[in-house]
């Protein structure tokens, strides 16, 4: 049994910085990015069926990713039967300065799990924690609660009920993110005062080391024994309410310290509303366990509350039919650009060098807290780590139950996507060109669609040729493929939501894309707290804030309805005044309906 007291205190600063590409690789990446633009242009503008062609290419890349991921698992399975000299410990020795004797060993996929949340619904939180009891390869569980007030005690109580033995709850006196920020600022001020060139990497490393030392000290102060039959295997951290990035930073720092004590190489990170399956952790981590250049991975997602409302049924269809495919586009090259917060795995040796830069991210002169998942992934890619998407592995997450909350979530995710895609161009220089191609398609496709629809609304001129059969073929091909290959198997009752789910996702998408671009600096947890008392408080939000968050959707639905009415009026040969009446009536009905299900429902 190993405890913090017995562990070597010489926990040195991390030195693993990643795997930067060679100069020739950089040149090839640049050429590939330049070629991606005309390829995307000709495949869309000069194709009779651009949407169908796009889905065929996406399916091909998805299949290639599935093939590569399965090959990674087979490599790991073979390595388990072939002992290698010090294979398991070399990377850990590099970043934690552990003095281990050389010994033959087998690679291991053992991991610890870190789950963070804020005022989660107690019953849902209990289900989420219970699911980790049957999760394979999970040897330690760490919970993070972003709040220490009376309302936050419910989550701590649930933790104690689910893990009554070998567990402890710790109050963190000061969020470690604030500690890192303060020490980093002092270090850089010292450098300036002494005429030393400011070295941000050095300041980040010093701040990170101080946080690691503080976390170890906190464990020692509480006299906790980590590991062993009678030791702590479940730990809950509580700190003053900040934001999701704040509690994630604290949890990850403690995870590094605990993993060093237990000799664990991998971390599974998730949210308090996510339920894992017995093989979710094991099969995701197996994809990176045998590749020392793989810094992270994520699994696919399904919706566990899909039958709750019409919105959740539609969202479940979106997860099944759209997200499974779209996330696979760059993944076959090991450059997945987003590790989903509910189902992410990390190689722990990749984290120390990126945590402080991740936490301290600034965009538009403002500290960013809305893009915690994507920015972690970006930092991994910038340092040359591979990031894998295990599309055939599933975890079950909670989805918003109302249209208002769904749109807020989509806007929050889109803001994070824009920040990482448009403000970090260096990532495309060090990554495979397919990452850039996926960005161009994701960022500019919906924006062009929004511009074309708006242009037709005001001028009556069509910028893009639209083929109904193109969309029909796209839906048929993607639906057939998902039925055959998607790991998530639909029930008979789910079938009726597939086609409506396509419209539910793609009709608001152009507006979400444009509005999120214009409001990239907005922040917050994104989805509201779900504890019952706080839901009532959330319902009393100001009408002005509701219009700021959701008004774009009301306007967009009016434009879409106006376009459809104009098309029908032209088809029927209506005169000008008849056409205007048709357009205005359609817009009024659509905008009223959009207001009713969003702003009216949340006010």
């Amino acid at each position: 049994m190993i405890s913090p007291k017995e562990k070597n205190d010489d926990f040195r600063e991390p030195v693993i910085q990643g795997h930067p590409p060679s100069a020739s690789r950089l040149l090839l990446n640049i050429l590939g990015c330049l070629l991606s633009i005309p390829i995307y242009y000709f495949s869309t503008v000069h194709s009779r069926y651009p949407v169908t062609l796009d889905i065929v290419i996406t399916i091909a890349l998805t299949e290639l990713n599935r093939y590569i991921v399965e090959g990674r698992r087979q490599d790991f399975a073979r390595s388990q039967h072939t002992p290698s000299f010090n294979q398991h410990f070399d990377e850990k020795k590099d970043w934690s300065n552990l003095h281990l004797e050389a010994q033959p060993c087998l690679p291991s996929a053992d991991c610890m799990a870190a789950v963070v949340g804020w005022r989660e619904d107690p019953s849902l939180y209990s289900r989420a924690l219970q699911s980790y009891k049957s999760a394979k390869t999970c040897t330690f569980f760490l919970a993070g609660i972003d709040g220490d007030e009376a309302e936050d005690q419910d989550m701590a109580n649930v933790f104690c009920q689910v893990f009554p033995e070998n567990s402890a709850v710790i109050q963190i006196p000061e969020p470690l993110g604030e500690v890192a920020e303060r020490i980093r600022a002092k270090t850089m001020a010292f450098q300036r005062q002494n005429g030393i060139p400011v070295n941000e990497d050095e300041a980040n490393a010093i701040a990170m080391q101080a946080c690691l030392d503080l976390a170890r000290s906190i464990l020692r102060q509480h006299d906790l024994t980590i590991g062993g039959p009678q030791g702590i295997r479940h730990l809950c951290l509580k700190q003053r309410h900040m934001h999701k990035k704040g509690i994630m930073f604290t949890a990850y720092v403690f995870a590094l310290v605990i993993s060093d004590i237990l000799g664990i190489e991998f971390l599974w990170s998730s949210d308090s509303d996510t339920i894992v399956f017995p093989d979710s952790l094991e099969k995701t981590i197996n994809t990176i366990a045998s590749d020392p250049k793989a810094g992270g991975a994520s699994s696919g997602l399904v919706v566990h509350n899909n039958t709750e409302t019409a919105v959740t049924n539609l969202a479940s269809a979106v997860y099944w039919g759209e997200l499974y495919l779209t996330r696979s586009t760059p993944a076959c090259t090991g450059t997945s650009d987003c590790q989903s917060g509910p189902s992410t795995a990390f190689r722990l040796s990749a984290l120390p060098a990126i945590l402080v830069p991740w936490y301290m991210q600034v965009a538009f002169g403002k500290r960013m807290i809305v893009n915690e998942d994507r920015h972690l992934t970006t930092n991994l890619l910038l340092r040359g780590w591979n990031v894998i998407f295990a599309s055939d592995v599933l975890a079950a997450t909670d989805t918003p139950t109302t249209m208002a909350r769904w749109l807020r979530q989509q806007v929050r995710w889109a803001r994070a996507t824009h920040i990482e895609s448009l403000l970090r161009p260096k990532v495309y220089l060090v990554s495979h060109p397919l990452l850039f191609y996926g960005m161009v398609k994701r960022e500019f496709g919906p924006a062009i669609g929004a511009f074309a629809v708006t242009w037709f609304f005001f001028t009556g001129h069509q910028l893009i040729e639209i083929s109904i059969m193109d969309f029909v073929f796209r839906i048929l091909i993607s639906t057939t493929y998902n039925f055959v290959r998607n790991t998530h198997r639909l029930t008979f009752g789910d079938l009726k939501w597939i086609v409506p789910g396509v419209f539910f996702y793609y009709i608001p998408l152009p507006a979400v894309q444009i509005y999120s671009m214009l409001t990239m600096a907005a922040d917050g947890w994104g989805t509201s707290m779900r504890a019952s008392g706080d839901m009532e408080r959330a319902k009393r939000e100001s009408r002005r804030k509701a219009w700021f968050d959701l008004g774009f959707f009301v306007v967009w639905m009016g434009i879409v309805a106006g376009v459809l009415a104009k098309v029908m009026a032209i088809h029927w040969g209506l005169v000008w005044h008849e056409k205007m009446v048709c357009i205005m009536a359609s817009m009024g009905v659509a905008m009223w309906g959009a207001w009713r299900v969003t702003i009216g429902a949340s006010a």
Side-chain angles (χ1 to χ4, degrees):
M1 181 166 55
I2 305 173
S3 72
K5 287 183 176 182
E6 298 163 342
K7 191 71 181 175
N8 187 349
D9 287 336
D10 191 17
F11 194 76
R12 300 295 176 82
E13 67 181 57
V15 297
I16 290 187
Q17 298 294 328
H19 306 274
S22 63
S24 59
R25 183 73 234 186
L26 286 173
L27 179 60
L28 289 175
N29 290 343
I30 294 172
L31 293 175
C33 290
L34 293 176
L35 288 174
S36 296
I37 299 175
I39 289 173
Y40 179 70
Y41 174 79
F42 285 108
S43 66
T44 53
V45 176
H46 294 280
S47 173
R48 186 176 180 182
Y49 298 104
V51 178
T52 302
L53 177 61
D54 176 70
I55 195 62
V56 170
I57 295 173
T58 301
I59 288 174
L61 293 174
T62 300
E63 280 299 295
L64 179 59
N65 181 57
R66 289 278 295 266
Y67 174 80
I68 292 173
V69 164
E70 186 56 35
R72 286 175 168 275
R73 293 200 187 98
Q74 292 177 5
D75 288 344
F76 175 69
R78 285 192 292 269
S79 67
Q80 285 192 304
H81 300 288
T82 308
S84 61
F85 198 70
N86 251 359
Q87 180 176 352
H88 177 68
F89 292 111
D90 276 350
E91 272 192 61
K92 294 286 291 180
K93 183 177 179 181
D94 284 339
W95 63 264
S96 63
N97 200 36
L98 300 181
H99 302 286
L100 302 170
E101 294 183 2
Q103 53 184 329
C105 54
L106 296 174
S108 171
D110 287 346
C111 69
M112 63 179 296
V115 176
V116 301
W118 175 49
R119 298 187 184 177
E120 187 61 80
D121 176 72
S123 61
L124 176 55
Y125 190 47
S126 177
R127 292 174 59 200
L129 298 191
Q130 289 283 357
S131 67
Y132 285 89
K133 289 186 171 182
S134 58
K136 299 176 184 176
T137 73
C138 183
T139 60
F140 193 95
F141 182 86
L142 181 67
I145 300 176
D146 186 39
D148 56 1
E149 299 178 358
E151 295 91 337
D152 303 298
Q153 187 58 36
D154 287 344
M155 290 184 69
N157 293 338
V158 168
F159 174 85
C160 294
Q161 292 168 7
V162 175
F163 302 116
E165 299 177 350
N166 303 104
S167 64
V169 178
I170 292 179
Q171 174 69 48
I172 306 301
E174 181 182 10
L176 296 188
E178 293 184 350
V179 174
E181 183 176 2
R182 184 175 63 252
I183 294 177
R184 179 179 183 272
K186 287 183 177 179
T187 302
M188 295 173 67
F190 176 82
Q191 292 173 341
R192 294 189 189 97
Q193 291 171 2
N194 290 272
I196 303 172
V198 174
N199 187 330
E200 289 193 13
D201 290 338
E202 182 182 357
N204 292 337
I206 292 173
M208 187 68 211
Q209 185 61 50
C211 290
L212 292 169
D213 293 340
L214 179 58
R216 184 179 292 276
S217 175
I218 291 173
L219 291 177
R220 186 180 298 111
Q221 289 170 11
H222 287 79
D223 197 28
L224 297 180
T225 300
I226 305 298
Q230 304 302 320
I232 297 297
R233 296 198 301 273
H234 316 95
L235 181 62
C236 177
L237 308 174
K238 293 173 56 180
Q239 69 178 28
R240 171 170 45 81
H241 174 58
M242 294 182 65
H243 38 69
K244 186 179 180 182
K245 185 176 278 191
I247 189 61
M248 286 175 67
F249 184 88
T250 297
Y252 288 176
V253 170
F254 272 87
L256 286 168
V257 173
I258 293 170
S259 67
D260 176 52
I261 294 171
L262 299 178
I264 294 174
E265 290 190 76
F266 302 102
L267 171 69
W268 170 270
S269 178
S270 187
D271 298 334
S272 57
D273 60 3
T274 300
I275 298 170
V276 298
F277 301 111
D279 63 351
S280 297
L281 282 66
E282 179 187 39
K283 293 186 69 175
T284 303
I285 291 172
N286 283 357
T287 63
I288 62 175
S290 63
D291 181 5
K293 293 185 178 180
S298 61
S299 76
L301 290 169
V302 296
V303 175
H304 60 68
N305 63 328
N306 60 302
T307 60
E308 196 167 338
T309 66
V311 170
T312 59
N313 275 288
L314 291 167
S316 179
V318 171
Y319 275 78
W320 178 80
E322 301 301 327
L323 299 186
Y324 166 76
L325 289 169
T326 55
R327 289 189 58 199
S328 297
T329 298
C332 59
T333 61
T335 54
S336 177
D337 60 354
C338 180
Q339 294 173 279
S340 296
S343 56
T344 294
F346 295 101
R347 184 179 297 274
L348 281 159
S349 57
L351 287 181
I354 70 173
L355 282 185
V356 176
W358 163 73
Y359 184 78
M360 297 298 300
Q361 183 193 16
V362 175
F364 305 109
K366 180 179 180 181
R367 286 283 302 281
M368 302 305 299
I369 63 172
V370 300
N371 56 332
E372 63 284 337
D373 305 329
R374 278 193 174 270
H375 193 51
L376 269 173
T377 309
T378 300
N379 273 279
L380 288 175
L381 293 174
L382 282 170
R383 287 161 175 79
W385 293 99
N386 291 330
V387 180
I388 313 303
F389 175 48
S391 59
D392 59 341
V393 185
L394 298 175
T397 190
D398 187 87
T399 195
T401 57
T402 66
M403 191 67 183
R405 289 185 60 200
W406 165 264
L407 286 172
R408 284 191 175 102
Q409 183 190 67
Q410 297 303 301
V411 169
R412 178 180 183 268
W413 288 355
R415 286 171 182 151
T417 301
H418 301 324
I419 291 170
E420 298 306 312
S421 300
L422 304 178
L423 303 184
R424 290 278 182 168
K426 183 180 176 182
V427 72
Y428 305 114
L429 301 180
V430 299
S431 302
H432 193 280
L434 199 55
L435 178 66
F436 181 79
Y437 176 81
M439 180 278 293
V440 171
K441 184 174 71 169
R442 181 186 61 241
E443 289 294 310
F444 298 106
I448 293 172
F451 179 76
V453 170
T454 306
W455 182 263
F456 182 84
F457 175 78
F458 285 109
T459 68
H461 298 298
Q462 187 174 345
L463 294 178
I464 301 175
E465 291 291 332
I466 299 176
S467 168
I468 299 300
M469 291 307 300
D470 190 16
F471 287 98
V472 171
F473 289 151
R474 193 265 183 211
I475 293 174
L476 289 176
I477 292 172
S478 63
T479 301
T480 302
Y481 172 75
N482 274 291
F483 268 119
V484 175
R485 292 290 288 160
N486 199 320
T487 311
H488 177 206
R489 300 300 178 182
L490 297 184
T491 64
F492 183 78
D494 296 327
L495 301 181
K496 62 178 179 289
W497 298 102
I498 295 176
V499 175
V502 174
F503 293 97
F504 173 76
Y505 180 68
Y506 280 106
I507 289 178
L509 181 61
V512 169
Q513 189 83 345
I514 297 299
Y515 183 70
S516 57
M517 279 186 180
L518 298 175
T519 59
M520 276 195 281
D523 50 30
W525 263 83
T527 51
S528 60
M529 61 192 87
R530 280 181 284 263
S532 58
D534 294 305
M535 286 183 65
E536 296 301 321
R537 188 193 317 168
K539 289 179 180 178
R540 297 192 295 268
E541 66 181 340
S542 68
R543 192 171 296 272
R544 178 180 298 179
K545 184 178 186 305
W547 270 106
F548 175 80
D549 290 345
L550 306 166
F552 77 93
F553 177 70
V554 176
V555 174
W556 174 250
M557 292 308 297
I559 293 175
V560 171
V563 167
L564 293 177
K566 182 176 286 190
V567 171
M568 298 304 297
I570 294 172
H571 178 74
W572 291 332
L574 300 182
V575 297
W576 185 85
H577 69 275
E578 293 174 332
K579 183 188 300 184
M580 292 306 298
V581 170
C582 180
I583 292 173
M584 297 303 293
S586 298
M587 290 180 64
V589 171
M591 292 178 74
W592 178 83
W595 175 88
R596 184 74 182 271
V597 300
T598 55
I599 298 172
S602 62

